[in-house]
Amino acid sequence: MDNEFKPDLLTLIDEENVEHNFEILDTIENDKGVFYALYPVYDTPEEELNDSGEYYIMEVIDEDGEQQLAEVEDDALLDELSAVFEKHFEEMFDYDEE
């Protein structure tokens, strides 16, 4: 039986056709849509050390039956989603030290 953790990874292609790999940290589904919290995946330890530690929030959009990701442009919605994701992160990594 394979109980090994395997992260959910995806590759996004930017406007300049450059591929970027991300891990899906969390998903939120609410009345405003479906949103992913994404963290960059790097090829080398040096790249990872130089990372700012920021994650990205993207909205999942259905384009003719195909999933697309789009930036969240509404600042109030972005703040709301950030608060929810960060609360989830705290709960995931908060464990009792006793």
Side-chain angles (χ1 to χ4, degrees), residues 9 35-36 46 51 54 62-63 87 90:
L9 302 176
F35 304 89
Y36 290 158
E46 291 81 19
D51 179 63
E54 292 181 4
D62 186 7
E63 290 270 332
K87 183 174 186 205
E90 288 175 13

Side-chain angles (χ1 to χ4, degrees), residues 4 17 25 33-34 39-41 48 52 54 58 63-64 68-69 81 89 92 98:
E4 185 176 326
N17 284 334
L25 298 176
V34 177
Y39 189 76
V41 174
E48 195 166 333
S52 65
E54 292 181 4
M58 304 291 280
E63 290 270 332
D64 299 323
Q68 301 282 327
L69 296 181
L81 293 167
F89 296 155
M92 282 191 293
E98 291 180 12

Side-chain angles (χ1 to χ4, degrees), residues 3-96:
N3 289 331
E4 185 176 326
F5 170 76
K6 294 180 182 161
D8 290 327
L9 302 176
L10 60 88
T11 301
L12 299 179
I13 301 172
D14 67 17
E15 300 85 25
E16 298 167 356
N17 284 334
V18 176
E19 292 184 353
H20 302 276
N21 297 313
F22 294 89
E23 178 181 354
I24 301 172
L25 298 176
D26 197 5
T27 303
I28 290 178
E29 291 185 48
N30 62 26
D31 60 336
K32 296 175 184 165
V34 177
F35 304 89
Y36 290 158
L38 304 175
Y39 189 76
V41 174
Y42 297 102
D43 295 328
T44 66
E46 291 81 19
E47 288 176 308
E48 195 166 333
L49 282 173
N50 292 326
D51 179 63
S52 65
E54 292 181 4
Y55 64 93
Y56 301 90
I57 296 176
M58 304 291 280
E59 181 176 11
V60 180
I61 298 173
D62 186 7
E63 290 270 332
D64 299 323
E66 186 176 319
Q67 274 191 351
Q68 301 282 327
L69 296 181
E71 291 182 51
V72 177
E73 296 185 12
D74 180 335
D75 288 339
L77 176 59
L78 190 58
D79 289 342
E80 177 184 327
L81 293 167
S82 295
V84 172
F85 280 125
E86 289 177 18
K87 183 174 186 205
H88 285 179
F89 296 155
E90 288 175 13
E91 291 170 355
M92 282 191 293
F93 297 107
D94 184 36
Y95 43 90
D96 195 11

